[in-house]
């Protein structure tokens, strides 16, 4: 059975982007004229997903409004040359459905994913963290779907990082089973460089089998007192059921200012090169 639901945890406070994120969700910050979350939704549609399940929180209503029809605005610009600016988002809204659920307390990524459970009715689903913006010839999630079809277990996207950055990521270790694939046997959340088991860091793309929910349900708070997805995944890894996939493409960590500016410059240059 094809997997068709992509979950977007988008309830975090985005404190590194204050004051911009005081009233605007981090996931709605734009790279050029498009919000981060829309890039993520486009990547999911390209990979064959048609149900976008979004975990939101207080003060995040802009997300629901963005992925909805704006009759007043559309009526206002109908027949003018401004109409073209809404074509892309309108097409996207027509292609998929959006469902929402609120995370009442920000208890970490694992807790956000568990909160999304009522929106998932499949044996596996994808997760995109929209602040990790990925660009690639073949979308990163499309690449991962191919891996899922091959291995039929949870897939995490990984990237080689400088070891001194390990305390910002979940780090994996595993047995290399293919050019770009590792069967994971160890995962450590945000280790200090001397404790990092490798330089392979998990980025914001996952395909998870739905038994993850039971594991998350029973998961005790880990690093920083948060329910960590890495800890639940480690339990799947102990049964040999997690593959780390070194994706092809480039990722921008738009959750911090440097990565955000790199993405803006990259996309602006790409726009100029195409006009
Ligand atoms: P981050 O840790 O990067 O986001 O979580 P944050 O907490 O909003 O950012 P800072 O550190 O305060 O600046 C990665 C993703 O997981 C979501 C966030 O919205 C982000 O998309 N998340 C995180 C949740 O949905 N709920 C949580 O409890 C934590």
């Amino acid at each position: 059975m094809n997997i068709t639901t992509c979950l977007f945890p988008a309830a975090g406070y985005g404190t590194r982007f204050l004051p911009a994120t005081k009233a605007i969700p981090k996931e709605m910050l734009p790279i050029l004229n498009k919000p981060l979350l829309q890039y993520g939704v486009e990547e999911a549609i390209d990979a064959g997903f048609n149900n976008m399940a979004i975990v939101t929180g207080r003060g995040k209503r802009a997300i629901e409004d963005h992925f909805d029809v704006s009759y007043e605005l559309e009526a206002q610009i109908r027949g003018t040359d401004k109409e073209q600016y809404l074509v892309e988002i309108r097409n996207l809204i027509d292609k998929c459905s959006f469902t929402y659920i609120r995370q009442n307390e920000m208890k970490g990524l694992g807790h956000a994913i568990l909160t999304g459970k009522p929106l998932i009715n499949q044996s596996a689903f994808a997760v995109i963290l929209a602040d990790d913006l990925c660009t690639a010839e073949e979308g990163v999630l499309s690449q991962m779907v191919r891996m899922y079809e091959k291995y039929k277990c949870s897939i995490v996207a990984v990237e080689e990082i400088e070891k001194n950055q390990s305390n910002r990521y979940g780090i994996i270790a595993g047995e290399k089973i293919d050019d770009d694939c590792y069967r994971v046997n160890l995962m450590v959340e945000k280790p200090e460089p001397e404790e990092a088991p490798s330089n392979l860091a998990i980025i914001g793309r996952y395909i998870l089998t739905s038994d993850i929910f039971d594991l998350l349900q029973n998961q005790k708070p880990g690093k920083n007192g948060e329910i960590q997805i890495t800890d639940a995944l480690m339990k799947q890894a102990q049964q040999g059921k997690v593959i780390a996939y070194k994706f092809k493409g480039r990722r921008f960590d738009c959750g911090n200012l440097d990565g955000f500016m790199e993405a803006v410059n990259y996309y602006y240059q790409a726009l100029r090169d195409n006009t």
Side-chain angles (χ1 to χ4, degrees):
M1 189 172 85
N2 286 343
I3 48 172
T4 55
T5 300
C6 185
L7 188 73
F8 294 84
Y13 290 125
T15 50
R16 284 168 291 169
F17 264 90
L18 284 169
T21 45
K22 190 159 173 255
I24 299 169
K26 172 169 80 170
E27 297 74 16
M28 289 303 290
L29 294 178
I31 301 296
L32 307 192
N33 56 350
K34 200 190 289 184
L36 280 167
L37 191 52
Q38 189 177 332
Y39 287 93
V41 168
E42 288 173 358
E43 184 182 326
I45 291 175
D46 278 350
F49 291 79
N50 61 12
N51 181 29
M52 309 300 152
I54 304 183
V55 181
T56 66
R58 282 179 293 281
K60 300 267 188 175
R61 280 182 43 195
I63 295 177
E64 289 171 56
D65 290 341
H66 184 73
F67 294 107
D68 197 355
V69 179
S70 173
Y71 286 107
E72 214 178 282
L73 176 63
E74 288 187 25
Q76 191 74 33
I77 64 175
R78 186 161 303 129
T80 74
D81 58 1
K82 291 184 182 150
E83 219 174 349
Q84 54 173 317
Y85 299 122
L86 287 180
V87 170
E88 204 179 47
I89 177 77
R90 191 65 210 247
N91 284 342
L92 180 150
I93 293 168
D94 290 343
K95 274 188 194 143
C96 52
S97 60
F98 291 85
T99 54
Y100 297 91
I101 194 160
R102 279 195 182 205
Q103 187 186 12
N104 298 327
E105 288 175 285
M106 304 321 147
K107 292 201 233 160
L109 178 57
H111 183 259
I113 292 173
L114 182 59
T115 302
K117 183 179 176 188
L119 305 182
I120 313 283
N121 55 7
Q122 290 196 299
S123 54
F125 59 101
V127 177
I128 288 185
L129 305 185
D131 51 355
D132 264 346
L133 176 55
C134 292
T135 172
E137 216 165 283
E138 179 190 15
V140 172
L141 197 57
S142 302
Q143 298 172 38
M144 293 173 71
V145 167
R146 280 196 287 107
M147 293 305 130
Y148 172 74
E149 281 162 358
K150 184 165 174 189
Y151 294 105
K152 296 277 184 241
C153 66
S154 289
I155 314 284
V156 296
V158 293
E159 168 179 278
E160 284 178 9
I161 54 148
E162 300 288 339
K163 240 187 165 175
N164 61 9
Q165 310 234 309
S166 62
N167 57 11
R168 291 166 45 181
Y169 298 94
I171 305 289
I172 68 109
E175 172 205 351
K176 194 165 182 182
I177 52 173
D178 209 338
D179 266 358
D180 302 315
C181 285
Y182 300 78
R183 196 171 290 282
V184 177
N185 51 36
L186 184 60
M187 299 176 118
V188 189
E189 183 61 23
K190 301 192 172 72
E192 290 309 320
E194 54 281 7
E195 272 139 34
S198 77
N199 66 342
L200 291 173
I202 303 172
I203 65 135
R205 298 287 181 280
Y206 306 78
I207 292 179
L208 302 174
T209 51
S210 58
D211 54 317
I212 199 75
F213 290 127
D214 282 342
L215 297 171
L216 282 169
Q217 193 87 56
N218 297 316
Q219 189 62 57
K220 301 236 156 43
K223 196 115 189 177
N224 304 330
E226 296 181 333
I227 308 284
Q228 299 289 352
I229 185 65
T230 327
D231 295 338
L233 273 166
M234 184 57 207
K235 303 221 168 80
Q236 289 188 333
Q238 280 161 351
Q239 299 163 26
K241 287 186 178 159
V242 180
I243 299 291
Y245 169 63
K246 217 160 80 174
F247 66 96
K248 294 181 185 63
R250 183 163 176 195
R251 175 192 70 108
F252 300 97
D253 177 3
C254 295
N256 74 64
L257 213 49
D258 289 338
F260 188 90
M261 283 315 296
E262 262 178 59
V264 169
N265 289 330
Y266 175 89
Y267 279 85
Y268 187 66
Q269 194 54 51
L271 181 77
R272 283 287 155 260
D273 291 348
N274 286 327
T275 48

